[in-house]
């Protein structure tokens, strides 16, 4: 018998199997590493880029600053000149190009809507401040007087309120915001017996419209004459009074009355010059 021993028949196969397993394991490791690298690359590609965030925020801040600048300029221009002022006038006052105005407000109606919302919010703040007065009558009078002051000095607001230039949506916003604030002042004074009980919250804006119209008509002749008629209205709100209140403004003279009639907005639109009747 040959002294050399033949290796078992399956030993070579086992060695090859172990080697093959090692190769596959190595290949798997390499493939797994490649997959991980690929995943990392894809993650890097799909990860959100944070670098442009700061410039975008800066652009948004600039846009908001421009918008507020336009609104502030519109407040000044509309207060002085009313809604007859153009977007070009607003752009000049704001110190921006007219294209910047149009990008934010496509027309004057859109700008008036934004202005109207701010004005209504300011009126609500006046009502809330007046409610802080301990005496209900003083609170109501303070609100009526402050609103009349605001209307008398703000031609654009008078037009927006009285001519509904802001549109139906604006009317609904004003109603929803103003009515609860005014009703609270009025009902408090009525509960104290200081205001006649048949007065409604909807009567208050009508009185302010009257005062605003007086202010608009007499602004070039006697800009404070509205105070006289506010005092007359306030006397009418009382359920009882011992004597009529003193009127804070003297009546218009006949000459002033003629001048008011000639210089009122309707007369000017019809071509009547201030101070006299158009002779044509």
């Amino acid at each position: 018998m040959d002294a050399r021993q033949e290796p078992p028949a399956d030993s070579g196969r086992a060695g090859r199997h172990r080697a093959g397993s090692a190769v596959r394991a190595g290949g798997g490791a390499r493939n797994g590493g490649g997959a991980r690298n690929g995943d990392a690359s894809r993650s890097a590609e799909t990860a959100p880029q944070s670098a442009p965030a700061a410039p975008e925020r800066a652009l948004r801040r600039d846009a908001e600053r421009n918008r507020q600048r336009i609104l502030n300029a519109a407040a000044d221009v509309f207060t002085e000149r009313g809604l007859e002022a153009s977007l070009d006038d607003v752009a000049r006052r704001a110190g921006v190009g007219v294209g910047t105005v149009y990008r934010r407000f496509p027309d004057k109606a859109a700008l008036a809507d934004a202005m109207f919302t701010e004005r209504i919010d300011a009126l609500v703040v006046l009502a809330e401040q007046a409610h802080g007065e301990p005496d209900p009558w003083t609170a109501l009078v303070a609100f009526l007087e402050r609103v009349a002051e605001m209307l008398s000095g703000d031609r654009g607001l008078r037009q927006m309120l009285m001519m509904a230039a802001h549109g139906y949506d604006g009317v609904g916003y004003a109603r929803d915001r103003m009515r609860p604030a005014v009703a609270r002042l009025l009902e408090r004074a009525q509960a104290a017996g200081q205001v006649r009980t048949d007065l409604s919250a909807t009567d208050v804006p009508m009185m302010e419209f009257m005062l605003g119209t007086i202010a608009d008509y007499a602004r070039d002749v006697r800009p404070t004459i509205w105070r006289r008629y506010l005092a007359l209205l306030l006397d009418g709100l009382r359920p009882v009074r011992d004597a009529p209140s003193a009127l804070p403004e003297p009546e218009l003279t006949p000459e002033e009355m003629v001048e008011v009639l000639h210089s009122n907005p309707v007369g000017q639109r019809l071509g009547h010059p201030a101070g006299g009747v158009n002779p044509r």
Side-chain angles (χ1 to χ4, degrees), residues 31-45:
N31 290 341
R36 284 195 296 273
N37 291 338
D39 291 343
S41 299
R42 283 192 295 273
S43 298
E45 290 172 1

Side-chain angles (χ1 to χ4, degrees), residues 56-244:
E56 286 174 6
R57 284 196 298 269
L59 285 173
R60 285 196 294 269
R61 286 195 299 269
D62 287 344
E64 181 55 32
R65 275 196 298 268
N66 280 339
R67 183 179 185 277
Q68 197 56 52
R69 186 183 302 174
I70 291 166
L71 288 173
N72 292 340
D76 293 341
V77 172
F78 288 163
T79 294
E80 297 166 6
R81 300 176 55 184
L83 298 181
E84 292 85 359
S86 68
L87 291 186
D88 286 4
D89 298 325
V90 173
R92 279 192 293 271
R93 182 67 63 91
V96 300
V98 70
T100 301
V101 177
Y102 276 104
R103 277 195 297 275
R104 282 147 186 84
F105 304 99
D107 53 34
K108 191 163 60 175
L111 181 54
D113 280 344
M115 292 298 307
F116 181 76
T117 299
E118 287 197 348
R119 291 294 201 275
I120 292 299
D121 291 344
L123 293 175
V124 172
V125 170
L126 289 181
E128 292 169 349
Q129 290 173 343
H131 197 267
E133 291 282 350
D135 179 64
W137 172 255
T138 303
L140 180 61
V141 171
F143 172 71
L144 293 173
E145 186 171 11
R146 289 169 189 166
V147 173
E149 285 176 344
M150 191 172 174
L151 283 172
S152 68
D154 191 334
R155 189 177 178 187
L157 178 59
R158 291 197 303 272
Q159 291 178 337
M160 283 186 277
L161 287 174
M162 291 185 284
M163 299 172 62
H166 45 280
Y168 180 79
D169 290 342
V171 172
Y173 182 81
R175 179 196 61 227
D176 295 342
R177 291 280 285 140
M178 286 296 301
R179 195 175 188 283
V182 173
R184 188 167 68 145
L185 287 171
L186 181 58
E187 290 166 4
R188 180 182 171 214
Q190 287 171 328
Q194 296 175 320
V195 173
R196 54 193 300 164
T197 57
D198 57 352
L199 192 71
S200 168
T202 57
D203 291 320
V204 174
M206 296 306 295
M207 291 188 293
E208 296 293 356
F209 292 162
M210 288 188 278
L211 296 172
T213 302
I214 291 169
D216 202 28
Y217 269 61
R219 68 178 184 270
D220 297 327
V221 179
R222 186 91 69 77
T224 57
I225 191 65
W226 61 267
R227 293 185 179 276
R228 177 181 178 87
Y229 300 102
L230 174 60
L232 290 169
L233 287 172
L234 292 176
D235 267 7
L237 302 187
R238 290 283 203 177
V240 293
R241 62 180 185 276
D242 298 329

